[in-house]
Amino acid sequence: MAINIAHRSDLDARVEALAVRLGLSGKGRKTRIIERALCALESEVEAQRPSKEEMEEEFRRIEEVSADLRKGLLEMYPDHDPNNLSLSLQEELYDERGLPT
């Protein structure tokens, strides 16, 4: 599907202004601007993506925090079944309609 910015005069003007600022002229200048903008955006998005090592480290941290939280909750609610802690907490925190008590 072709992209047509002609119906968006604001976008067309912005692309044209960038072409002038970058010294691009002639046929295809707007396409080159859009390609450069897409490349810049792709690079920005790629830089934001965590590495595999960063994700693994975050999962390890979550596992540690979760284990500590579970231990603390079991100490706070010793009467509850440790195998059904989530259900016990749900019953404690929400009414029969699933609304906070």
Side-chain angles (χ1 to χ4, degrees):
M1 174 196 275
I3 297 173
N4 182 358
I5 62 170
H7 68 283
R8 287 279 311 267
S9 58
D10 60 323
L11 292 179
D12 190 54
R14 288 172 64 190
V15 171
E16 185 62 40
L18 276 173
V20 170
R21 287 181 64 189
L22 294 171
L24 299 175
S25 60
K27 187 174 175 134
R29 70 187 176 281
K30 291 180 182 178
T31 301
R32 291 193 306 263
I33 291 293
I34 292 170
E35 288 171 343
R36 288 177 72 171
L38 286 172
C39 287
L41 184 57
E42 288 168 345
S43 295
E44 182 181 323
V45 169
E46 189 62 34
Q48 293 173 356
R49 181 179 297 165
S51 68
K52 184 176 180 180
E53 293 78 20
E54 290 170 325
M55 288 191 300
E56 288 173 355
E57 178 60 32
E58 185 63 16
F59 285 129
R60 275 192 293 278
R61 188 191 69 76
I62 290 170
E63 286 174 3
E64 291 172 9
V65 169
S66 298
D68 291 342
L69 178 62
R70 182 176 179 77
K71 182 180 175 188
L73 288 170
L74 287 172
E75 290 171 1
M76 286 172 52
Y77 299 97
D79 304 354
H80 295 289
D81 179 2
N83 295 321
N84 291 315
L85 182 60
S86 294
L87 182 58
S88 298
L89 292 172
Q90 181 178 346
E91 290 170 355
E92 182 86 19
L93 298 172
Y94 297 93
D95 66 14
E96 64 278 355
R97 294 170 292 162
L99 299 173
T101 55

